[in-house]
Amino acid sequence: MSSIPLAWYLGVALVLFCLGLYGALTKRNTVIVLICIELMLNAVNINLIAFSKLGMHPDIAGQVFTVFTITVAAAEVAVGIAILIALFRNRRTVNIDEVNVLKR
């Protein structure tokens, strides 16, 4: 039984993180920006799991950190969607360029 090399996991995580970073910096729709942030967090999770299984000292610490990262991601989505709903109710848009002022 052959194992997938660590470099392949790191490559997939690198591609995911770069796609998420590109989307977060270039897109103007806040929903897309939140999705791109989730992509970046998932790339971090892939790295944590890969190093916890295939690193120099395999242990469960990477998996524990991954559970914490998933928890933070879920909280980030909940708060982000709540802010988006409030913005849409007040401004009738979720475009980043149109909601750059905090007052009405």
Side-chain angles (χ1 to χ4, degrees), residues 69-83:
T69 306
I70 291 170
T71 305
V72 168
E76 177 253 334
V77 167
V79 170
I81 295 297
I83 291 171

Side-chain angles (χ1 to χ4, degrees), residues 19-81:
L19 285 173
L21 184 64
Y22 173 76
L25 294 177
T26 60
K27 300 300 178 187
R28 297 292 171 228
N29 189 334
T30 53
V31 175
I32 301 298
V33 171
L34 285 175
I35 291 171
C36 291
I37 291 171
E38 290 297 318
L39 271 177
M40 291 190 291
L41 287 173
N42 285 329
V44 171
N45 287 339
I46 290 173
N47 280 334
L48 289 171
I49 293 294
F51 279 115
S52 76
K53 293 302 245 182
L54 303 172
M56 291 182 64
H57 305 290
D59 60 356
I60 198 160
Q63 296 170 6
V64 171
F65 286 134
T66 299
V67 170
F68 287 130
T69 306
I70 291 170
T71 305
V72 168
E76 177 253 334
V77 167
V79 170
I81 295 297

